[in-house]
Amino acid sequence: MKVITDEKKIDEFLNRGVIINILPTKEDFKKLLMSGKRIRIYIGFDATADTLHLSHAKNIMLLEEFRKLGHEAILLFGDFTARIGDPSDQIGTRKILSVKEILQNVKNWKIQIKNLMDFNNKENPPRVLFNSKWLAKMTMEEVLELASHITVGQMIERDMFQKRMRDGKYIFLHEFLYPLMQGYDSVVMEVDAELCGTDQTFNALMGRTLLRKLKNKEKFIVIINLMENPKTGELMSKSKGTGVFLNTTPIKMFGAIMAQPDEMIEILFINCTRISKEEIKKIIKQGPFEAKKKVAKEITKIIFSEKEAKEAEKDFSNTFQKKEIPKKMEEIKFKVGELLSEVLVKNKVLFSKGEWRRLVFGNAIHDLSKNKTILDVDFRISEDLTLKIGKKRFLKLKIVKK
């Protein structure tokens, strides 16, 4: 595939606002893209949860931009590094996942991202790799040789490790090995560039160091934002269960985006759509409600399809603007006597019992079958229910028939 060196196209995504820094310099990276050389660029994800969210989606969309320019794009699933889990956003040690859990997560992710990259492209398809292919085969001798290139002082510089030590918390040896293993990914794949979030910069720099020492090769680091709420500082996080997730239906995704605070509208437009910045400004001037509907429809179209996005918009209009109960609802099964909280958490309607308690105490769980609000945190189900959770979520609960 011919490499595209159109400066206008390159500047469109380099300056859109998704990329916040490029190491060693943005100017040198742009020169590389303009040179006509085909580069190898990757982004990695550890399969530590069963779903991705919109902040991951925007990273994959950016990788697709490079692929469309004719470059070799690699999507790396960290199926081996996920067994440790990156401690970057963790005050305590992560739970070590089983191989079975990780492989199931990867299977789920492949379904969720199928529309974000052209995996069926015959000329230049994205490559999908797994780092267990090389990390699982390393001998103790090879691990020791790799570790000999990095000092303890370099590892301790990591801000999260510094925080742990200040707080008197443990740092386990396998957590020190995580940046080393992720850095080694760059060496094995011999990449020219890596896309990473700000929380992964330390690991990406580790890869840059190892690649220079072991292969005498330089690597650019393209640092991407984390879609932070500008007022609260809250991030979308797969480990904390916060954000708009991809393991959902078009209707639920549309509603989840509509439920985002107004200050997230421009951030969602910039990161998760390819509508021009000039057009975004015009849309936002129409007011937050209309702007949010437009961004919800556009993102739902990208993740799913245009047809499903239109159906989701229509459902939202009927349900929340016309105050109708939707004809189609998510349906889950239960056994008589089960705790409603456990049924909702088990079926991933809610993330935790803590979320359930907050909703109950906030008078946000409504039994539409009897037109009453559920106020008992230990409510047990004895019959079919139609629930409204908060302002924008509806579902039916049906008894399992013997």
Side-chain angles (χ1 to χ4, degrees), residues 297-336:
K297 184 178 180 181
E298 185 66 19
I299 292 173
T300 305
K301 181 180 77 173
I302 291 168
I303 303 296
F304 295 98
S305 70
E306 187 167 3
K307 180 183 176 183
E308 289 169 306
K310 287 180 179 178
E311 290 174 352
E313 182 183 34
K314 183 179 178 181
D315 180 87
F316 181 86
S317 177
N318 290 337
T319 304
F320 304 109
Q321 290 179 268
K322 297 179 183 178
K323 305 297 182 183
E324 295 177 5
I325 296 175
K327 294 178 181 179
K328 292 182 180 180
M329 291 186 222
E330 179 182 3
E331 190 173 296
I332 58 178
K333 303 288 186 181
F334 70 92
K335 294 179 182 178
V336 173

Side-chain angles (χ1 to χ4, degrees), residues 72-124:
E72 182 181 354
I74 298 175
L75 190 62
L76 178 67
F77 288 121
D79 59 328
F80 190 90
T81 41
R83 299 178 199 178
I84 295 176
D86 181 26
S88 62
D89 62 347
Q90 299 292 306
I91 293 174
T93 307
R94 282 183 184 266
K95 171 194 169 186
I96 296 179
L97 299 175
S98 69
V99 174
K100 184 178 179 181
E101 288 174 312
I102 292 166
L103 292 178
Q104 184 58 52
N105 289 344
V106 170
K107 184 178 178 181
N108 293 338
W109 288 11
K110 283 184 174 181
I111 295 169
Q112 293 164 27
I113 66 172
K114 60 183 172 55
N115 292 330
L116 296 178
M117 298 191 77
D118 187 1
F119 290 98
N120 297 318
N121 187 280
K122 289 184 169 52
E123 194 173 10
N124 182 33

Side-chain angles (χ1 to χ4, degrees), residues 1-17:
M1 182 175 179
K2 183 182 177 182
V3 174
I4 297 171
T5 57
D6 185 319
E7 187 171 12
K8 184 179 178 182
K9 287 186 177 180
I10 291 170
D11 283 338
E12 274 179 7
F13 68 86
L14 287 185
N15 301 323
R16 186 173 178 87

Side-chain angles (χ1 to χ4, degrees), residues 33-76:
L33 296 178
M34 295 287 294
S35 71
K37 178 185 175 182
R38 188 169 187 256
I39 69 168
R40 180 177 296 156
I41 185 166
Y42 95 102
I43 190 167
F45 297 98
D46 280 350
T48 53
D50 63 357
T51 182
L52 296 168
H53 48 62
L54 287 184
S55 197
H56 297 115
K58 66 112 166 77
N59 297 344
I60 297 170
M61 289 169 66
L62 182 60
L63 184 64
E64 175 70 350
E65 300 279 2
F66 285 99
R67 189 201 66 78
K68 286 180 177 178
L69 289 178
H71 300 294
E72 182 181 354
I74 298 175
L75 190 62
L76 178 67

Side-chain angles (χ1 to χ4, degrees), residues 246-302:
L246 307 188
N247 66 334
T248 187
T249 64
I251 289 173
K252 286 163 67 176
M253 174 167 283
F254 194 101
I257 296 170
M258 291 300 298
Q260 291 293 298
D262 291 351
E263 60 266 23
M264 288 296 291
I265 294 173
E266 186 174 8
I267 291 170
L268 289 166
F269 265 121
I270 293 291
N271 288 274
C272 300
T273 81
R274 287 303 176 258
I275 296 172
S276 71
K277 294 173 81 172
E278 293 73 21
E279 185 63 24
I280 290 170
K281 290 178 182 177
K282 293 177 184 176
I283 293 171
I284 289 175
K285 285 181 180 178
Q286 297 173 14
F289 185 76
E290 288 302 318
K292 209 180 286 186
K293 278 209 304 181
K294 281 187 170 61
V295 76
K297 184 178 180 181
E298 185 66 19
I299 292 173
T300 305
K301 181 180 77 173
I302 291 168

